[in-house]
Amino acid sequence: MKFTVPKDEFTAVLQTVSKVTATRSPTPVLEGVKITVRADGITMEATDLDMGIRAALKPTAVEGEGEFVVMPARLLQLMNELEDEEMTLSTDEANLVLQSKGGLFKFRRLGTEDFPQFPPVGGERVEVEAGPLKEMVDRIAFCAAKEKGRYALNGVYLAFEEGALEMVATDGRRLGLCRYAREGIPAVKGGMILPVRLVELLRKELARMEADRPAALSFFEGRALFEVDGATIFGRLVMGEYPNYRAVLPTNLDKRAVFAHADFLRAARIAAIFTDPMKKAVVFTFSPGKVTMATTLPEQGESRIEIPAEYEGPETALGFNPAYLLDYLRVVGAEKIEMRFLDERVAAEFRTEDDPFGYRYVLMPMKV
């Protein structure tokens, strides 16, 4: 078997697929990438059993067909050093052989007998454009819990209803919620929780697609499967019941402040420099026409930043973690940020005008 491929395309696909390989697995083939060579194309697959990816590329030439498993790390390192535009690879009795202008390189290959079968496409199937799906993931994924043992919170929740997709994530201290309405989105019984690793891999693949290209989502037997341009991704759903997030969305927020995004972002960055690593709080003091952000770093310094704000309510002080504010401010591009709040006992809510996904970012104040 012998095949020739564009080096950059081969490297890009191998790099993407290799992110899903298992580490220190008792099954050696799970640490490698399965490469299948056919006359009509080449596919690469990797899985750690919890999630997997299959991606395709077009070879320049193919002689013979076959499949094998190869460990990707050193192969990728070599690819990054070679200057060839195209590479010719072949197999001998035990190796993958790479022929380049500068030399001959061999990589031990394994058989595919123990490599798991890629799950078939089945179950409920929904198509959503890549652009809106990625925008929602960008706004939501960082809100998911990172600590192990949070079970249902260690993921992003998707709910499909007739004509709309809703996406939400929370770690118990903050919550992000987006909704995309479009005619033709079908209702799917029950929601599903996607693990964060799967969402991050999906985000990278969506970024390669044109915004109006459809991405297909299928859900069956406790798995989610995504079909995107040139790649298919699957992952086990997070088991458990997602909390009733609508019950915790704040209501009766009687105070409103509006900031310029640029002012708010700069002030939050500066405040974070002086934040106590233990308390992690910036004190916001709202007064008519302005907000003051104050932080104190014991025995090291303090900061006090004042920015203009559209605010006409009574003087109110609230504490927030600046890292959580920066996470939000980095993913919104609006010129103005609207904040609604009540007092230190109730979560505040951040929004922007005319957001296409009705993005709501809910953040609990800290004791100050």
Side-chain angles (χ1 to χ4, degrees):
M1 179 177 57
K2 185 177 181 180
F3 56 98
T4 302
V5 290
K7 191 202 80 168
D8 289 346
E9 291 181 29
F10 185 87
T11 303
V13 174
L14 182 62
Q15 195 163 35
T16 296
V17 171
S18 66
K19 295 182 185 301
V20 186
T21 55
T23 56
R24 299 178 182 176
S25 172
T27 306
V29 291
L30 295 182
E31 298 181 23
V33 172
K34 177 183 175 182
I35 299 179
T36 302
V37 180
R38 298 284 183 262
D40 59 350
I42 295 173
T43 59
M44 299 189 199
E45 299 176 36
T47 180
D48 62 2
L49 299 182
D50 286 327
M51 58 186 289
I53 182 170
R54 178 173 60 202
L57 75 153
K58 286 287 185 183
T60 305
V62 173
E63 297 178 19
E65 297 184 343
E67 58 185 28
F68 55 89
V69 174
V70 65
M71 301 301 156
R74 286 187 175 83
L75 181 54
L76 281 170
Q77 290 175 7
L78 177 63
M79 297 291 188
N80 291 329
E81 297 298 330
L82 297 179
E83 297 179 352
D84 308 52
E85 292 185 2
E86 287 190 336
M87 301 180 310
T88 298
L89 299 101
S90 59
T91 55
D92 60 20
E93 292 183 357
N95 302 294
L96 172 66
V97 182
L98 190 156
Q99 180 77 51
S100 77
K101 294 177 182 178
L104 183 71
F105 310 94
K106 293 187 177 184
F107 300 87
R108 180 71 65 178
R109 62 185 176 89
L110 303 176
T112 60
E113 299 82 8
D114 296 328
F115 199 90
Q117 291 294 315
F118 208 84
V121 177
E124 300 276 2
R125 192 171 190 272
V126 181
E127 288 192 354
V128 180
E129 300 91 326
L133 193 57
K134 179 183 178 297
E135 289 283 342
M136 294 175 75
V137 169
D138 286 343
R139 287 164 162 80
I140 296 299
F142 68 86
C143 295
K146 307 299 188 297
E147 303 92 339
K148 292 182 179 180
R150 301 300 297 275
Y151 302 109
L153 298 187
N154 291 123
V156 174
Y157 182 76
L158 269 63
F160 292 90
E161 59 185 65
E162 196 68 39
L165 162 63
E166 197 160 83
M167 187 181 293
V168 64
T170 180
D171 60 7
R173 295 176 290 271
R174 56 182 171 178
L175 179 148
L177 173 65
C178 282
R179 182 181 178 85
Y180 175 53
R182 177 180 60 74
E183 186 177 344
I185 294 177
V188 177
K189 185 178 180 181
M192 58 282 302
I193 309 170
L194 305 180
V196 173
R197 282 184 63 223
L198 176 61
V199 171
E200 291 298 335
L201 182 59
L202 175 63
R203 186 216 305 261
K204 292 175 183 176
E205 292 306 305
L206 291 171
R208 305 174 195 271
M209 297 176 63
E210 295 180 7
D212 59 352
R213 292 278 295 168
L217 295 72
S218 303
F219 306 95
F220 61 102
E221 298 178 355
R223 288 192 179 103
L225 190 144
F226 297 86
E227 298 169 81
V228 296
D229 278 355
T232 303
I233 303 166
F234 80 87
R236 296 183 188 275
L237 297 174
V238 177
M239 304 309 293
E241 185 175 352
Y242 206 75
N244 182 3
Y245 56 91
R246 293 205 166 274
V248 301
L249 293 175
T251 57
N252 301 319
L253 302 179
D254 62 359
K255 300 178 182 66
R256 175 181 179 271
V258 178
F259 320 91
H261 179 277
D263 291 344
F264 197 4
L265 178 60
R266 180 183 60 84
R269 283 175 174 165
I270 294 172
I273 297 172
F274 291 87
T275 301
D276 185 333
M278 299 299 293
K279 295 182 180 179
K280 298 181 180 179
V282 174
V283 179
F284 285 64
T285 301
F286 297 86
S287 52
K290 65 180 181 180
V291 61
T292 302
M293 300 168 65
T295 54
T296 301
L297 202 55
E299 300 182 4
Q300 296 188 52
E302 61 183 49
S303 73
R304 182 182 176 86
I305 311 159
E306 190 175 285
I307 61 173
E310 298 174 25
Y311 178 71
E312 299 300 333
E315 183 169 301
T316 304
L318 298 174
F320 292 103
N321 185 329
Y324 290 174
L325 293 172
L326 289 171
D327 284 342
Y328 168 74
L329 292 169
R330 290 185 185 112
V331 299
V332 291
E335 292 185 3
K336 291 188 176 183
I337 305 294
E338 177 184 308
M339 176 182 175
R340 291 186 178 272
F341 56 98
L342 182 63
D343 56 34
E344 70 279 358
R345 299 168 299 172
V346 179
E349 183 173 312
F350 297 83
R351 293 192 182 195
T352 60
E353 285 189 6
D354 302 321
D355 187 274
F357 308 104
Y359 183 29
R360 302 171 69 177
Y361 184 64
V362 178
L363 181 60
M364 279 298 298
M366 302 176 67
K367 291 183 179 180
V368 294

